[in-house]
Amino acid sequence: MPIVIDKDIPAYKILTGEKIFVMDKDRAISQRIRPIEIAILNLMPTKEDTETQFMRLLSNSPLQINITLIKTSSYTSTHTPAAHLERFYKSFEEVKNNRFDGMIITGAPVECMNFEDVAYWNELTEIFDWTTTSVTSTLFVCWAAQAALYYFYGVNKHPLSEKCFGVFPHHKTKKGMSEPLLRGISDTFHIPHSRHTVINSDDIKNIEGLSVLAKSKAAGAAIMKSDDNTRVFVTGHMEYDRFTLKNEYERDLGKGLGLKPPANYFSDKKMTKVKMNWTSTSNLFYINWLNYYVYQVTPYEL
């Protein structure tokens, strides 16, 4: 089954070009089924790229999914055309009286700041609180995972001596071995990371109601989940495309930043070919999340 999005959004053309089943809203209205409602709070500056990446992963489910894109009101992105935001995004005020089966809150390039110093922190924490009553299961990604762990559980991030940048191997914990969220995923698997801070698994092991499902020597605690399945935290970027890290690397080089090439990423010395070894993990993870913690437990009537 398809994801349902506006046929004028750039992701529609990209995904249909990839032979991904995408349905426009006009056609979806004519079908007599109850689609899954997924909200995406997109905090990334590259909004068009990010929305396409998440839509691509959500489209692999057999479910029909309605996507609602949300933006912050307390901070307006300067990297995305205002017309795009106005046309395809809603503010939290516009959706806060709705209920959603699932929600994804993305990362943001603010990880070196104190959480409370982020311009939209108050609005974000209001959204965090709202998810506890209005969303069946929320997936927090990268910085949003760090922010939610801090807000809900008091877990703090730790600065790194150098950027965690590349594609790193992870392994399941004992808890993760029997976790439906990781069903079908190999005991050792890869996830891209791009950040200056880390969550230590030792800071979580004694927190009641919270479990580490997978971790990495290089990237720290990578996948965590509340025991009631309503919150899932991923510190990496399973959604990244083949060349996302390459583009970030070239962007930072252009800024004069002395950054090492992304680790375990390029497969040739000229750094033109990418070893993309995380897509099967990404697809399985998002299908599992939608199946076990959204579709199977969400009420039919929202």
Side-chain angles (χ1 to χ4, degrees), residues 14-300:
I14 294 170
L15 297 177
T16 52
E18 296 175 6
K19 308 302 182 184
I20 290 174
F21 190 10
V22 182
M23 182 183 291
D24 68 80
K25 292 181 178 179
D26 292 338
R27 181 181 172 192
I29 290 172
S30 67
Q31 295 196 329
R32 293 186 177 183
I33 63 173
R34 153 67 161 94
I36 296 295
E37 299 288 342
I38 300 290
I40 302 176
L41 175 61
N42 191 353
L43 304 175
M44 291 289 282
T46 52
K47 287 190 170 23
E48 293 183 28
D49 291 341
T50 301
E51 66 203 26
T52 302
Q53 290 167 359
F54 281 109
M55 288 175 182
R56 182 181 291 114
L57 287 171
L58 295 172
S59 71
N60 284 316
S61 164
L63 306 170
Q64 181 170 307
I65 299 172
N66 283 344
I67 304 291
T68 299
L69 297 171
I70 302 174
K71 61 183 178 180
T72 56
S73 298
S74 46
Y75 179 80
T76 301
S77 174
T78 58
H79 294 81
T80 304
H84 183 87
L85 295 173
E86 182 66 25
R87 172 71 189 277
F88 301 115
Y89 280 73
K90 296 182 181 296
S91 69
F92 175 58
E93 285 295 316
E94 293 177 280
V95 303
K96 70 178 184 180
N97 292 324
N98 299 345
R99 293 179 62 86
F100 291 89
D101 302 298
M103 185 172 190
I104 298 170
I105 304 182
T106 76
V110 293
E111 61 185 284
C112 293
M113 299 173 61
N114 293 327
F115 292 115
E116 292 84 358
D117 293 337
V118 174
Y120 46 82
W121 179 249
N122 289 338
E123 181 181 6
L124 185 62
T125 56
E126 182 183 358
I127 295 172
F128 283 173
D129 288 335
W130 170 81
T131 65
T132 64
T133 57
S134 299
V135 181
T136 300
S137 182
T138 304
L139 177 56
F140 303 90
V141 178
C142 198
W143 178 81
Q146 295 184 341
L149 286 167
Y150 173 75
Y151 182 71
F152 288 120
Y153 302 99
V155 176
N156 221 326
K157 59 189 177 181
H158 299 277
L160 293 167
S161 57
E162 63 178 19
K163 187 176 184 179
C164 179
F165 189 49
V167 182
F168 300 101
H170 300 67
H171 66 271
K172 297 177 183 177
T173 63
K174 183 177 180 180
K175 179 86 170 180
M177 290 289 185
S178 58
E179 170 55 48
L181 192 63
L182 303 184
R183 188 164 293 165
I185 296 175
S186 300
D187 291 349
T188 300
F189 55 92
H190 294 80
I191 302 177
H193 290 266
S194 178
R195 51 190 164 79
H196 296 273
T197 54
V198 67
I199 296 293
N200 291 334
S201 56
D202 286 345
D203 294 341
I204 293 174
K205 64 182 180 182
N206 294 321
I207 295 179
E208 186 176 354
L210 185 65
S211 301
V212 177
L213 305 180
K215 56 186 179 179
S216 163
K217 285 184 178 180
I223 302 175
M224 294 138 282
K225 183 181 68 66
S226 63
D227 292 347
D228 65 1
N229 306 323
T230 61
R231 300 178 190 134
V232 177
F233 310 88
V234 178
T235 59
H237 287 283
M238 292 186 184
E239 78 282 1
Y240 269 9
D241 291 336
R242 180 181 298 273
F243 295 111
T244 306
L245 287 177
K246 180 177 185 291
N247 293 338
E248 289 186 7
Y249 176 61
E250 292 174 349
R251 176 202 65 196
D252 288 348
L253 284 182
K255 293 179 180 179
L257 302 178
L259 185 67
K260 294 180 181 178
N264 312 313
Y265 177 65
F266 291 113
S267 59
D268 63 330
K269 291 182 179 180
K270 293 182 179 180
M271 296 190 295
T272 58
K273 298 179 181 179
V274 171
K275 180 173 60 179
M276 194 173 186
N277 57 0
W278 65 90
T279 50
S280 57
T281 294
S282 304
N283 285 312
L284 274 172
F285 179 87
Y286 275 83
I287 288 172
N288 287 343
W289 175 66
L290 284 170
N291 179 29
Y292 295 112
Y293 297 140
V294 179
Y295 173 69
Q296 291 195 27
V297 296
T298 196
Y300 183 81

